Coordinates of all heavy atoms in Angstrom, one line a residue:
M1 N 35.0 -1.4 -24.0 CA 35.0 -2.1 -22.8 C 33.6 -2.0 -22.2 O 33.1 -3.0 -21.7 CB 36.2 -1.7 -22.0 CG 36.2 -2.6 -20.7 SD 36.8 -4.2 -21.1 CE 37.2 -4.7 -19.5
R2 N 33.1 -0.9 -22.1 CA 31.8 -0.7 -21.6 C 30.7 -1.4 -22.2 O 29.9 -2.0 -21.6 CB 31.5 0.9 -21.3 CG 30.2 1.2 -20.6 CD 30.1 2.6 -20.4 NE 28.8 2.9 -19.7 CZ 28.5 3.9 -19.2 NH1 29.4 5.1 -19.3 NH2 27.4 4.2 -18.5
K3 N 30.8 -1.3 -23.5 CA 29.7 -2.2 -24.4 C 29.8 -3.5 -24.2 O 28.7 -4.2 -24.0 CB 29.9 -1.7 -25.9 CG 29.4 -0.3 -26.1 CD 29.6 -0.2 -27.7 CE 29.3 1.2 -28.0 NZ 29.4 1.5 -29.5
L4 N 31.0 -4.1 -23.9 CA 31.1 -5.5 -23.7 C 30.5 -5.8 -22.3 O 29.8 -7.0 -22.2 CB 32.6 -5.9 -23.8 CG 33.0 -7.3 -23.4 CD1 32.2 -8.3 -24.5 CD2 34.5 -7.6 -23.5
L5 N 30.7 -4.9 -21.3 CA 30.3 -5.3 -20.0 C 28.8 -5.3 -20.0 O 28.1 -6.1 -19.4 CB 30.8 -4.1 -19.1 CG 30.3 -4.2 -17.6 CD1 30.6 -5.6 -17.0 CD2 30.7 -3.2 -16.7
L6 N 28.1 -4.2 -20.7 CA 26.7 -4.2 -20.8 C 26.1 -5.5 -21.5 O 25.1 -6.0 -21.2 CB 26.4 -2.9 -21.6 CG 26.5 -1.5 -20.9 CD1 26.1 -0.5 -21.8 CD2 25.6 -1.6 -19.5
L7 N 26.8 -5.9 -22.5 CA 26.3 -7.0 -23.3 C 26.4 -8.4 -22.4 O 25.4 -9.0 -22.3 CB 27.2 -7.3 -24.5 CG 26.9 -8.6 -25.3 CD1 25.5 -8.4 -25.9 CD2 28.0 -8.7 -26.5
L8 N 27.5 -8.4 -21.6 CA 27.6 -9.6 -20.7 C 26.6 -9.5 -19.5 O 26.0 -10.5 -19.3 CB 29.0 -9.6 -20.1 CG 30.1 -9.9 -21.0 CD1 31.4 -9.8 -20.3 CD2 30.0 -11.3 -21.5
L9 N 26.1 -8.3 -19.2 CA 25.1 -8.2 -18.1 C 23.7 -8.5 -18.6 O 22.9 -8.9 -18.0 CB 25.2 -6.9 -17.5 CG 26.3 -6.5 -16.5 CD1 26.4 -5.1 -16.2 CD2 26.4 -7.5 -15.5
A10 N 23.6 -8.1 -20.0 CA 22.2 -8.3 -20.6 C 21.9 -9.6 -21.1 O 20.9 -10.0 -21.2 CB 22.1 -7.2 -21.6
A11 N 22.9 -10.3 -21.4 CA 22.8 -11.5 -22.1 C 21.9 -12.7 -21.3 O 21.2 -13.3 -21.8 CB 24.2 -12.2 -22.3
P12 N 22.1 -12.7 -19.9 CA 21.2 -13.7 -19.1 C 19.7 -13.2 -19.2 O 19.0 -14.2 -19.3 CB 21.7 -13.6 -17.8 CG 23.1 -13.2 -17.9 CD 23.2 -12.2 -19.1
C13 N 19.5 -12.0 -19.3 CA 18.2 -11.6 -19.4 C 17.5 -12.0 -20.7 O 16.4 -12.4 -20.8 CB 18.0 -10.0 -19.3 SG 18.5 -9.6 -17.5
V14 N 18.2 -11.7 -21.8 CA 17.7 -12.1 -23.1 C 17.6 -13.6 -23.2 O 16.5 -14.1 -23.7 CB 18.8 -11.6 -24.3 CG1 18.3 -12.1 -25.4 CG2 18.9 -10.1 -24.2
A15 N 18.6 -14.5 -22.7 CA 18.4 -15.8 -22.7 C 17.2 -16.2 -21.9 O 16.4 -17.2 -22.3 CB 19.7 -16.6 -22.2
W16 N 16.9 -15.7 -20.8 CA 15.8 -16.0 -20.0 C 14.4 -15.8 -20.7 O 13.5 -16.5 -20.7 CB 15.9 -15.2 -18.6 CG 14.5 -15.6 -17.9 CD1 14.4 -16.6 -16.9 CD2 13.3 -14.9 -17.7 NE1 13.3 -16.7 -16.3 CE2 12.6 -15.6 -16.8 CE3 13.0 -13.7 -18.4 CZ2 11.3 -15.1 -16.5 CZ3 11.7 -13.2 -17.9 CH2 10.9 -14.0 -17.1
A17 N 14.4 -14.5 -21.3 CA 13.2 -14.2 -22.0 C 12.9 -15.1 -23.2 O 11.7 -15.4 -23.5 CB 13.3 -12.7 -22.5
Q18 N 14.0 -15.5 -23.9 CA 13.8 -16.5 -25.0 C 13.3 -17.8 -24.5 O 12.7 -18.6 -25.3 CB 15.0 -16.5 -25.8 CG 15.3 -15.2 -26.6 CD 16.5 -15.2 -27.3 OE1 17.3 -16.0 -27.1 NE2 16.7 -14.1 -28.2
A19 N 13.8 -18.2 -23.3 CA 13.5 -19.6 -22.8 C 12.1 -19.8 -22.2 O 11.7 -20.9 -21.9 CB 14.6 -19.9 -21.8
H20 N 11.3 -18.8 -22.0 CA 10.0 -18.9 -21.5 C 8.9 -18.6 -22.6 O 9.1 -17.7 -23.2 CB 9.9 -17.8 -20.3 CG 10.7 -18.4 -19.1 ND1 12.0 -18.2 -19.0 CD2 10.3 -19.0 -18.0 CE1 12.5 -18.6 -17.9 NE2 11.4 -19.1 -17.2
S21 N 7.9 -19.4 -22.5 CA 6.8 -19.1 -23.4 C 6.0 -17.9 -22.8 O 6.1 -17.6 -21.7 CB 5.9 -20.4 -23.5 OG 5.1 -20.5 -22.2
A22 N 5.1 -17.4 -23.6 CA 4.2 -16.3 -23.3 C 3.4 -16.8 -22.1 O 3.2 -15.8 -21.1 CB 3.4 -15.8 -24.5
E23 N 2.9 -17.8 -22.0 CA 2.1 -18.3 -20.8 C 2.9 -18.3 -19.6 O 2.6 -18.0 -18.6 CB 1.5 -19.8 -21.1 CG 0.6 -20.2 -20.2 CD -0.8 -19.4 -19.9 OE1 -1.2 -18.6 -20.9 OE2 -1.1 -19.2 -18.8
E24 N 4.3 -18.9 -19.8 CA 5.1 -18.9 -18.5 C 5.4 -17.5 -18.0 O 5.4 -17.1 -16.9 CB 6.4 -19.6 -18.8 CG 6.2 -21.1 -19.1 CD 7.4 -21.7 -19.5 OE1 8.0 -21.2 -20.5 OE2 7.6 -22.8 -19.1
V25 N 5.6 -16.5 -19.0 CA 5.8 -15.2 -18.6 C 4.7 -14.5 -17.8 O 4.6 -13.9 -16.9 CB 6.3 -14.3 -19.8 CG1 6.4 -12.8 -19.5 CG2 7.6 -14.8 -20.3
K26 N 3.4 -14.9 -18.4 CA 2.2 -14.4 -17.8 C 2.0 -15.0 -16.3 O 1.7 -14.3 -15.5 CB 1.0 -15.1 -18.6 CG -0.3 -14.3 -18.4 CD -1.3 -14.8 -19.2 CE -2.3 -13.8 -19.6 NZ -3.3 -14.3 -20.6
K27 N 2.3 -16.3 -16.2 CA 2.3 -16.8 -14.8 C 3.2 -16.1 -13.8 O 3.1 -16.0 -12.6 CB 2.5 -18.3 -14.9 CG 1.3 -19.1 -15.4 CD 1.6 -20.6 -15.4 CE 0.4 -21.3 -16.0 NZ 0.7 -22.7 -16.1
D28 N 4.5 -15.9 -14.4 CA 5.5 -15.2 -13.5 C 5.0 -13.7 -13.1 O 5.3 -13.3 -12.0 CB 6.8 -15.0 -14.3 CG 7.6 -16.4 -14.4 OD1 7.4 -17.2 -13.5 OD2 8.7 -16.4 -15.2
I29 N 4.5 -13.1 -14.1 CA 3.9 -11.6 -13.7 C 2.9 -11.9 -12.6 O 2.9 -11.0 -11.7 CB 3.2 -11.1 -15.0 CG1 4.3 -10.8 -15.9 CG2 2.4 -9.9 -14.6 CD1 3.9 -10.5 -17.4
Q30 N 2.0 -12.9 -12.7 CA 1.0 -13.1 -11.6 C 1.7 -13.3 -10.3 O 1.2 -12.8 -9.2 CB 0.0 -14.1 -12.1 CG -0.9 -13.8 -13.1 CD -1.7 -14.9 -13.7 OE1 -1.3 -16.1 -13.5 NE2 -2.7 -14.7 -14.4
R31 N 2.7 -14.1 -10.3 CA 3.5 -14.5 -9.0 C 4.0 -13.2 -8.5 O 4.0 -13.0 -7.2 CB 4.5 -15.5 -9.4 CG 3.9 -17.0 -9.5 CD 5.0 -18.0 -9.5 NE 4.6 -19.2 -10.3 CZ 5.0 -19.4 -11.5 NH1 5.8 -18.7 -12.1 NH2 4.5 -20.5 -12.0
H32 N 4.7 -12.4 -9.3 CA 5.4 -11.2 -8.8 C 4.3 -10.4 -8.3 O 4.6 -9.7 -7.2 CB 6.1 -10.6 -10.0 CG 7.5 -11.1 -10.2 ND1 8.5 -11.2 -9.4 CD2 7.9 -11.9 -11.3 CE1 9.5 -11.7 -9.9 NE2 9.0 -12.3 -11.0
R33 N 3.2 -10.1 -8.8 CA 2.1 -9.3 -8.3 C 1.6 -9.8 -7.0 O 1.4 -9.1 -6.0 CB 1.0 -9.1 -9.2 CG 1.5 -8.1 -10.5 CD 0.2 -7.6 -11.2 NE 0.7 -6.7 -12.2 CZ 0.5 -6.8 -13.5 NH1 -0.3 -7.8 -14.0 NH2 0.9 -5.8 -14.2
A34 N 1.5 -11.2 -6.9 CA 1.0 -11.8 -5.6 C 2.1 -11.6 -4.5 O 1.6 -11.2 -3.4 CB 0.8 -13.3 -5.8
M35 N 3.3 -11.7 -4.8 CA 4.3 -11.6 -3.9 C 4.3 -10.0 -3.4 O 4.5 -9.8 -2.2 CB 5.8 -11.9 -4.4 CG 6.0 -13.4 -4.5 SD 7.5 -13.9 -4.9 CE 7.5 -13.6 -6.7
A36 N 4.2 -9.2 -4.3 CA 4.2 -7.7 -4.1 C 3.0 -7.4 -3.1 O 3.3 -6.6 -2.2 CB 4.2 -6.8 -5.3
A37 N 1.9 -8.0 -3.4 CA 0.8 -7.7 -2.5 C 0.9 -8.4 -1.1 O 0.6 -7.6 -0.1 CB -0.5 -8.4 -3.1
A38 N 1.6 -9.4 -1.0 CA 1.9 -10.1 0.3 C 2.8 -9.1 1.1 O 2.7 -8.9 2.3 CB 2.6 -11.5 0.1
H39 N 3.9 -8.5 0.3 CA 4.8 -7.6 1.1 C 4.3 -6.3 1.4 O 4.6 -5.7 2.5 CB 6.1 -7.5 0.2 CG 7.2 -8.4 0.2 ND1 8.0 -8.5 1.1 CD2 7.1 -9.7 -0.5 CE1 8.8 -9.7 0.9 NE2 8.3 -10.4 -0.1
E40 N 3.3 -5.9 0.6 CA 2.5 -4.6 1.0 C 1.7 -4.8 2.3 O 1.7 -4.2 3.1 CB 1.7 -4.2 -0.1 CG 0.8 -2.9 0.0 CD 1.8 -1.7 0.4 OE1 3.0 -1.6 -0.1 OE2 1.3 -0.8 1.1
A41 N 1.1 -6.0 2.3 CA 0.3 -6.5 3.5 C 1.2 -6.5 4.8 O 0.9 -6.0 5.7 CB -0.4 -7.8 3.3
A42 N 2.5 -7.0 4.5 CA 3.4 -7.1 5.7 C 3.8 -5.7 6.1 O 4.0 -5.5 7.3 CB 4.6 -8.0 5.3
A43 N 4.1 -4.8 5.1 CA 4.3 -3.4 5.6 C 3.3 -2.8 6.4 O 3.5 -2.1 7.4 CB 4.7 -2.6 4.4
K44 N 1.9 -3.0 5.9 CA 1.0 -2.4 6.6 C 0.7 -3.0 8.1 O 0.3 -2.3 8.9 CB -0.4 -2.6 5.7 CG -0.4 -1.6 4.5 CD -1.6 -1.9 3.8 CE -1.7 -0.9 2.5 NZ -2.9 -1.0 1.7
C45 N 1.1 -4.3 8.1 CA 1.0 -5.0 9.3 C 2.0 -4.3 10.4 O 1.6 -4.1 11.4 CB 1.3 -6.5 9.2 SG 1.3 -7.5 10.7
L46 N 3.1 -4.3 9.8 CA 4.2 -3.5 10.6 C 3.8 -2.0 11.2 O 4.0 -1.7 12.3 CB 5.5 -3.6 10.0 CG 6.2 -4.9 9.9 CD1 7.4 -4.8 9.0 CD2 6.6 -5.4 11.3
E47 N 3.2 -1.3 10.1 CA 2.8 0.1 10.4 C 1.8 0.1 11.4 O 1.6 1.0 12.2 CB 2.3 0.7 9.1 CG 3.3 1.0 8.2 CD 2.7 1.8 6.9 OE1 1.7 1.4 6.5 OE2 3.5 2.5 6.4
S48 N 1.0 -1.0 11.5 CA -0.2 -1.0 12.5 C 0.3 -1.2 13.9 O -0.6 -1.1 14.8 CB -1.3 -2.1 12.0 OG -0.7 -3.4 12.3
G49 N 1.5 -1.5 14.1 CA 2.1 -1.7 15.4 C 2.2 -3.2 15.8 O 2.6 -3.4 17.0
K50 N 1.8 -4.1 15.1 CA 1.9 -5.5 15.4 C 3.4 -5.8 15.4 O 4.2 -5.2 14.8 CB 1.1 -6.3 14.4 CG -0.3 -6.1 14.3 CD -1.1 -7.1 13.3 CE -2.5 -6.9 13.3 NZ -3.2 -7.7 12.3
K51 N 3.6 -6.8 16.3 CA 5.0 -7.3 16.4 C 5.5 -7.9 15.1 O 4.8 -8.6 14.3 CB 5.1 -8.4 17.4 CG 4.8 -7.7 18.8 CD 5.1 -8.8 20.0 CE 4.7 -8.1 21.2 NZ 5.5 -8.5 22.4
P52 N 6.8 -7.8 14.7 CA 7.4 -8.4 13.6 C 7.1 -9.9 13.3 O 7.0 -10.3 12.2 CB 8.9 -8.0 13.8 CG 8.9 -6.8 14.6 CD 7.7 -7.0 15.5
D53 N 7.2 -10.6 14.5 CA 7.0 -12.1 14.3 C 5.6 -12.4 13.8 O 5.4 -13.3 13.0 CB 7.1 -12.7 15.8 CG 8.7 -12.7 16.2 OD1 9.4 -12.4 15.4 OD2 8.9 -13.0 17.4
V54 N 4.6 -11.6 14.3 CA 3.3 -11.8 13.7 C 3.1 -11.4 12.3 O 2.6 -12.3 11.5 CB 2.2 -10.9 14.6 CG1 0.8 -11.0 14.0 CG2 2.2 -11.3 16.0
C55 N 3.7 -10.4 11.9 CA 3.7 -10.0 10.5 C 4.5 -10.9 9.6 O 4.1 -11.2 8.5 CB 4.3 -8.6 10.3 SG 3.4 -7.2 11.2
M56 N 5.6 -11.5 10.2 CA 6.3 -12.4 9.4 C 5.5 -13.7 9.2 O 5.6 -14.3 8.1 CB 7.7 -12.7 10.0 CG 8.5 -13.8 9.4 SD 9.0 -13.2 7.6 CE 10.0 -11.9 7.8
K57 N 4.9 -14.3 10.2 CA 3.9 -15.4 10.0 C 3.0 -15.2 8.9 O 2.7 -16.1 8.2 CB 3.5 -15.7 11.3 CG 4.3 -16.5 12.2 CD 3.8 -16.9 13.6 CE 4.9 -17.5 14.5 NZ 4.2 -17.8 15.8
D58 N 2.4 -13.9 9.0 CA 1.4 -13.6 8.0 C 1.9 -13.7 6.6 O 1.3 -14.2 5.6 CB 0.7 -12.3 8.2 CG -0.2 -12.3 9.5 OD1 -0.5 -13.3 10.0 OD2 -0.6 -11.1 10.0
L59 N 3.2 -13.1 6.4 CA 3.7 -13.1 5.3 C 4.0 -14.3 4.6 O 3.8 -14.8 3.5 CB 5.1 -12.3 5.4 CG 6.0 -12.2 4.0 CD1 5.3 -11.5 2.8 CD2 7.3 -11.5 4.3
Q60 N 4.6 -15.3 5.5 CA 5.0 -16.7 5.1 C 3.7 -17.4 4.7 O 3.8 -18.1 3.7 CB 5.6 -17.3 6.3 CG 7.1 -16.9 6.5 CD 7.7 -17.4 7.8 OE1 7.0 -17.8 8.6 NE2 9.1 -17.1 7.9
A61 N 2.7 -17.1 5.4 CA 1.3 -17.9 5.1 C 0.9 -17.3 3.8 O 0.3 -18.1 2.9 CB 0.2 -17.6 6.1
S62 N 0.9 -16.1 3.4 CA 0.5 -15.4 2.2 C 1.3 -16.0 1.0 O 0.8 -16.0 -0.2 CB 0.6 -13.9 2.2 OG -0.3 -13.3 3.1
C63 N 2.6 -16.3 1.3 CA 3.5 -16.7 0.2 C 3.6 -18.1 0.0 O 4.5 -18.5 -0.9 CB 4.9 -16.0 0.4 SG 4.9 -14.3 0.1
K64 N 3.0 -18.9 0.8 CA 3.2 -20.4 0.7 C 2.9 -20.7 -0.7 O 1.8 -20.5 -1.3 CB 2.3 -21.0 1.6 CG 2.5 -22.5 1.8 CD 1.9 -23.2 2.9 CE 2.3 -24.6 3.1 NZ 2.3 -25.1 4.3
G65 N 3.8 -21.4 -1.4 CA 3.7 -22.0 -2.6 C 3.9 -20.9 -3.8 O 4.0 -21.3 -4.9
L66 N 4.2 -19.7 -3.3 CA 4.6 -18.6 -4.3 C 5.9 -18.5 -4.7 O 6.3 -18.3 -5.9 CB 4.0 -17.4 -3.8 CG 2.7 -16.8 -4.4 CD1 2.5 -15.4 -3.7 CD2 2.5 -16.7 -5.8
A67 N 6.7 -18.4 -3.5 CA 8.2 -17.9 -3.7 C 9.1 -19.0 -3.0 O 8.5 -19.8 -2.1 CB 8.3 -16.6 -3.2
I68 N 10.3 -19.0 -3.1 CA 11.3 -19.9 -2.4 C 11.8 -19.1 -1.3 O 12.1 -18.0 -1.3 CB 12.4 -20.1 -3.5 CG1 12.0 -20.9 -4.8 CG2 13.7 -20.9 -2.8 CD1 13.0 -21.0 -5.7
G69 N 12.0 -19.8 -0.3 CA 12.5 -19.3 1.0 C 11.5 -18.8 2.0 O 10.3 -18.7 1.6
R70 N 12.0 -18.4 3.2 CA 11.2 -18.0 4.3 C 10.6 -16.5 4.1 O 9.8 -16.0 4.7 CB 12.0 -17.9 5.5 CG 12.4 -19.4 6.0 CD 13.1 -19.4 7.2 NE 12.4 -18.6 8.1 CZ 12.9 -18.1 9.3 NH1 14.3 -18.3 9.5 NH2 12.3 -17.5 10.2
Y71 N 11.2 -15.7 3.2 CA 10.9 -14.4 3.0 C 10.3 -14.0 1.7 O 10.4 -12.9 1.2 CB 12.3 -13.6 3.0 CG 12.9 -13.9 4.5 CD1 14.0 -14.8 4.5 CD2 12.5 -13.2 5.6 CE1 14.7 -15.0 5.7 CE2 13.1 -13.5 6.9 CZ 14.1 -14.4 6.9 OH 14.8 -14.7 8.1
C72 N 9.4 -15.0 1.2 CA 8.7 -14.7 -0.1 C 9.5 -14.1 -1.3 O 9.1 -13.3 -1.9 CB 7.6 -13.6 0.3 SG 6.2 -13.7 -0.9
G73 N 10.6 -14.6 -1.4 CA 11.5 -14.3 -2.5 C 12.3 -13.0 -2.4 O 13.0 -12.6 -3.3
M74 N 12.2 -12.5 -1.2 CA 12.9 -11.2 -0.9 C 13.3 -11.1 0.5 O 12.7 -11.7 1.3 CB 12.0 -10.0 -1.0 CG 11.4 -9.9 -2.5 SD 10.3 -8.3 -2.6 CE 11.4 -7.0 -2.0
K75 N 14.6 -10.8 0.6 CA 15.1 -10.6 2.1 C 15.9 -9.3 2.0 O 16.8 -9.1 1.2 CB 15.9 -11.8 2.4 CG 16.4 -11.7 3.9 CD 17.3 -12.9 4.1 CE 17.9 -12.8 5.5 NZ 18.6 -13.9 6.1
H76 N 15.7 -8.5 3.0 CA 16.5 -7.3 3.2 C 17.3 -7.4 4.5 O 17.2 -8.3 5.2 CB 15.7 -5.9 3.2 CG 14.6 -6.1 4.1 ND1 14.8 -5.8 5.6 CD2 13.2 -6.5 4.2 CE1 13.7 -5.8 6.2 NE2 12.8 -6.4 5.4
E77 N 18.4 -6.5 4.5 CA 19.3 -6.5 5.6 C 18.8 -6.3 7.0 O 17.6 -5.6 7.0 CB 20.5 -5.5 5.4 CG 20.1 -4.2 5.3 CD 21.2 -3.3 5.0 OE1 21.7 -3.2 3.9 OE2 21.6 -2.5 5.9
H78 N 19.2 -6.9 7.9 CA 19.0 -6.9 9.4 C 18.5 -8.1 10.0 O 18.5 -9.1 9.7 CB 18.2 -5.6 9.8 CG 16.7 -5.8 9.7 ND1 15.9 -6.6 10.5 CD2 15.8 -5.2 8.8 CE1 14.6 -6.5 10.1 NE2 14.5 -5.6 9.2

């Protein structure tokens, strides 16, 4: 049963990997790194004492065209 569950969870990942060309995967890697850099900048912005609204606007500007949604492809609770 456990092996079946693992197979079912892994199947979408395998299908995704096969459906993308090497060039598409390379572009996805670049997007993920750019999103990570934008989130790191947002964290540093908050650490500097700036208001969350200011940091969020900076994050949204950094992520324009990179990710879906207002939160640069990531949203956490609160």
Side-chain angles (χ1 to χ4, degrees):
M1 182 70 166
R2 186 175 179 165
K3 287 183 183 180
L4 178 61
L5 179 60
L6 290 174
L7 179 63
L8 290 173
L9 292 174
C13 296
V14 172
W16 179 83
Q18 292 174 349
H20 289 79
S21 69
E23 185 61 32
E24 289 170 323
V25 171
K26 195 179 215 181
K27 287 180 182 178
D28 282 344
I29 292 167
Q30 291 172 340
R31 281 189 209 102
H32 281 291
R33 287 195 172 128
M35 285 187 279
H39 279 271
E40 181 64 25
K44 287 180 180 181
C45 179
L46 291 169
E47 284 177 334
S48 74
K50 291 182 183 175
K51 294 189 179 207
D53 291 345
V54 171
C55 298
M56 182 56 69
K57 285 183 183 178
D58 290 347
L59 176 64
Q60 289 169 343
S62 296
C63 286
K64 189 169 184 152
L66 258 184
I68 297 170
R70 296 178 51 201
Y71 303 99
C72 193
M74 293 177 61
K75 183 178 178 184
H76 53 85
E77 61 182 72
H78 76 77

